[in-house]
Amino acid sequence: MTHPDQQPVPAEETIACEFESFGLSADIVRGLKEAGFKKPSPIQEQAIPFVLAGKDMIAQAQTGTGKTAAFGLPVMSQITQNGGVEVLVVTPTRELASQVSTELFRLGKYAGVKTVAVYGGQSITRQVDLVNKGAQVLVATPGRLLDHLRSGRLKGFAPKVVVLDEADEMLDMGFLEDIEAIFEFLPKKRQTLLFSATMPKAISRLGEKILNQPVHLKITSGATTGVDIEQRYYVIAEHERTDATVRLLESEGPDRTIIFCRTKRETEALSNELISLGYVARALHGDMDQKSRERSIGAFKNAEVEILVATDVAARGLDVTGVSHVINYHMPFDAESYVHRIGRTGRAGKKGVAITLVSPFEFRSIKRIQEVTGAPMVVDQVPSIKDVETLQDQRLVQSILESKVTAGAQRVLARMEQEIELKALATKLLSMIMEKTLVSGPDQIGMRPVEIERLEKRSQGPARPGSGGGSGGRRPFKPGNFHRAGKKPYPAKH
Ligand code: ADP
Ligand code: MG
């Protein structure tokens, strides 16, 4: 709470909740704090002030960027509780409807906001009862909502705010006509907000029909950089790329990983190498026909494949949840593609890890990307074979301690106790279950901190501004990508 006539708030507290500075109600702030929100996401930062000001809006932002709270917080902050539904949220599926209403409930509970989700497959009378019993927010799928509206079952239905959530999905599911029909029943004087991950023509046309002088927002994945992504890079020699990748895979124990390469040939070579080591990997590149592309993506989505080895182009628009790691086997060509690549992880509020392998020649380029994107990258050292072993041992010990004892195991143990000493038995069992380590090469690969420091000093020497130089690789970076870097080259961040 920052009334102008009050003592200035200590700086720490101001930073502690940027949400407060929007002027959201105290109850809403309490709800979002309890939900663990600390910093507004980019779409929230941009949308909240306009929504609070009563503007119409058409906003494009990827899945997992926090769109629900972007409209939910400001809208619920302004609920008056004068009776009747004040906010209508239309979502494409019942899963999304229940997801959105759960999120709104969580954020709005201290503000006493009542939310009802309405979708097909539920009892109609019960839904109508709930709505008429004083819900302020109605979250609905198009078909069922239209049903209710046409039958006139919702009394005095006149929401002040209407939100179309995930509009592109509604289009894909063939709901466009239903949506247009729904608006026939809505008051002309209203605030309308349209959110979509992509912006096909049909959606912008719909926007023109239903929105009144809207604010246009577009959050490219670039803006999501670093929110929830741990970014590290490793300096390695050219020939160490594959070894370093394997060590990092082994030491990180990732769930699902996308590895980015520069060329189609590289994706094939690396995925074959990984497959031969026993990983379940697939290549994904632009020369594959649509069918095999879809097969690769599908298998990765269903978690049948743990590693996707892809080129930038092939991975464009790929939206898979649960990607724990992105590894840049080779540096991306420019800052924008770096941001696109790492945006594949760290979605939906989950923490992700982005790892970039750079050769000493590419050192300046990674520094520039860091500068342009403002990404919080840290340099790290490739784990030694010993490090990898220690980590793997720890994981094994943990999983043994956590596993349950089965009746079958007890039965076999009772029988074996006569024949073999327990320690010998344990050793044999461990040998059976311990995976063969995949790491190879010398114990130590990649540059050590002292060497990196030296490299860093050298790279801070007189830079040729705008030359895009320093990469020394086959493909120098285009100077055009680094306008902002011109001002303050190579800050000594480390
Ligand atoms: P979208 O609709 O853009 O796909 P959601 O609104 O479903 O994204 O949000 C995805 C997840 O991120 C949710 O679990 C939500 O609680 C969480 N989230 C949203 N905003 C924040 C924030 N500012 N801080 C932390 N977590 C957030
Ligand atoms: Mg959403």
Side-chain angles (χ1 to χ4, degrees):
M1 283 171 282
T2 46
H3 292 295
D5 56 347
Q6 270 180 349
Q7 291 289 312
V9 185
E12 247 176 51
E13 278 179 38
T14 324
I15 293 165
C17 192
E18 283 172 51
F19 281 107
E20 256 157 300
S21 62
F22 291 124
L24 295 166
S25 78
D27 291 332
I28 289 293
V29 172
R30 193 173 155 204
L32 70 88
K33 275 189 181 164
E34 199 176 286
F37 289 19
K38 298 207 167 57
K39 233 170 92 58
S41 69
I43 182 74
Q44 290 161 5
E45 201 163 10
Q46 295 201 29
I48 291 173
F50 288 117
V51 179
L52 281 173
K55 298 273 187 224
D56 277 13
M57 175 180 296
I58 177 162
Q60 182 182 355
Q62 272 180 4
T63 312
T65 51
K67 295 194 281 295
T68 315
F71 65 78
L73 295 170
V75 157
M76 291 196 294
S77 182
Q78 291 181 319
I79 273 173
T80 58
Q81 318 242 18
N82 285 341
V85 171
E86 298 180 43
V87 180
L88 168 67
V89 183
V90 187
T91 70
T93 62
R94 62 174 85 173
E95 287 74 29
L96 279 170
S98 90
Q99 220 171 292
V100 167
S101 70
T102 308
E103 177 91 338
L104 295 182
F105 169 77
R106 195 160 77 115
L107 298 171
K109 68 176 172 194
Y110 294 111
V113 177
K114 280 205 213 99
T115 304
V116 174
V118 156
Y119 39 79
Q122 282 178 321
S123 144
I124 290 195
T125 44
R126 197 177 137 65
Q127 284 180 353
V128 175
D129 261 8
L130 283 172
V131 177
N132 290 340
K133 256 194 201 131
Q136 295 99 19
V137 180
L138 175 63
V139 185
T141 52
R144 181 53 69 96
L145 175 65
L146 196 54
D147 241 27
H148 285 308
L149 292 173
R150 284 191 171 136
S151 71
R153 283 185 290 252
L154 303 177
K155 289 196 205 77
F157 185 70
K160 290 182 294 192
V161 185
V162 178
V163 182
L164 291 187
D165 194 23
E166 317 281 356
D168 51 353
E169 280 196 45
M170 295 203 259
L171 172 72
D172 288 345
M173 296 177 67
F175 283 140
L176 205 54
E177 275 176 27
D178 282 359
I179 301 287
E180 291 184 348
I182 286 167
F183 275 90
E184 302 287 312
F185 291 91
L186 300 177
K188 293 281 166 294
K189 191 169 166 293
R190 58 164 198 260
Q191 181 180 14
T192 312
L193 310 170
L194 188 158
F195 287 85
S196 199
T198 60
M199 210 45 80
K201 278 239 174 57
I203 295 297
S204 9
R205 270 200 302 272
L206 172 71
E208 279 160 29
K209 271 189 224 162
I210 61 170
L211 301 169
N212 176 23
Q213 303 187 330
V215 174
H216 289 254
L217 292 185
K218 181 173 175 177
I219 310 287
T220 56
S221 60
T224 68
T225 300
V227 181
D228 254 322
I229 306 173
E230 188 187 324
Q231 300 172 56
R232 287 185 247 132
Y233 65 95
Y234 295 83
V235 186
I236 45 119
E238 202 52 59
H239 66 274
E240 292 173 331
R241 283 190 201 277
T242 305
D243 277 347
T245 304
V246 171
R247 275 184 206 199
L248 289 163
L249 287 171
E250 288 301 294
S251 63
E252 299 278 316
D255 280 342
R256 234 181 290 183
T257 306
I258 303 179
I259 303 180
F260 281 100
C261 296
R262 285 188 171 179
T263 61
K264 167 195 154 199
R265 201 148 358 120
E266 209 170 67
T267 64
E268 275 170 351
L270 182 60
S271 67
N272 286 340
E273 172 88 31
L274 292 174
I275 289 166
S276 74
L277 286 169
Y279 293 103
V280 192
R282 284 272 175 90
L284 182 72
H285 55 74
D287 283 358
M288 288 159 68
D289 60 48
Q290 189 62 20
K291 269 248 173 63
S292 32
R293 252 179 62 91
E294 273 165 16
R295 233 179 295 130
S296 283
I297 294 175
F300 187 60
K301 278 192 174 169
N302 306 332
E304 287 158 27
V305 161
E306 50 185 343
I307 302 171
L308 203 57
V309 187
T311 58
D312 286 277
V313 178
R316 192 145 297 159
L318 186 70
D319 187 16
V320 183
T321 50
V323 175
S324 64
H325 287 65
V326 164
I327 299 179
N328 294 313
Y329 182 80
H330 255 128
M331 285 253 301
F333 295 127
D334 54 38
E336 198 186 324
S337 117
Y338 176 81
V339 164
H340 273 288
R341 286 180 177 189
I342 73 163
R344 307 273 150 243
T345 180
R347 294 174 153 215
K350 280 195 205 123
K351 198 119 188 113
V353 177
I355 286 173
T356 306
L357 301 179
V358 300
S359 70
F361 289 123
E362 295 165 332
F363 193 71
R364 281 194 179 185
S365 308
I366 191 87
K367 289 276 153 190
R368 288 198 169 220
I369 288 186
Q370 188 166 15
E371 170 76 356
V372 173
T373 60
M377 291 184 206
V378 290
V379 64
D380 203 349
Q381 207 188 333
V382 180
S384 66
I385 292 184
K386 247 204 141 70
D387 294 339
V388 174
E389 276 169 7
T390 310
L391 283 163
Q392 287 174 328
D393 291 355
Q394 268 170 13
R395 273 204 296 270
L396 178 63
V397 169
Q398 195 61 31
S399 73
I400 291 176
L401 291 176
E402 281 166 7
S403 30
K404 291 204 186 79
V405 172
T406 65
Q410 284 172 320
R411 195 175 60 231
V412 176
L413 179 64
R415 194 181 138 185
M416 293 197 74
E417 262 175 332
Q418 332 293 329
E419 295 172 30
I420 184 171
E421 196 204 338
L422 285 183
K423 191 168 170 190
L425 172 63
T427 316
K428 276 179 184 268
L429 284 176
L430 282 174
S431 313
M432 274 168 70
I433 61 170
M434 275 180 74
E435 287 172 31
K436 180 167 64 104
T437 185
L438 300 176
V439 291
S440 57
D443 186 51
Q444 195 70 63
I445 55 177
M447 278 195 163
R448 271 172 267 238
V450 269
E451 295 168 306
I452 294 171
E453 215 170 284
R454 245 178 274 144
L455 192 61
E456 182 116 23
K457 284 216 185 83
R458 249 186 291 149
S459 85
Q460 277 167 7
R464 291 153 293 155
S467 71
S471 97
R474 283 162 298 156
R475 300 182 190 248
F477 282 79
K478 284 182 279 172
N481 297 323
F482 298 104
H483 284 320
R484 285 208 288 138
K487 266 197 262 159
K488 206 172 55 152
Y490 318 123
K493 271 187 190 152
H494 299 291

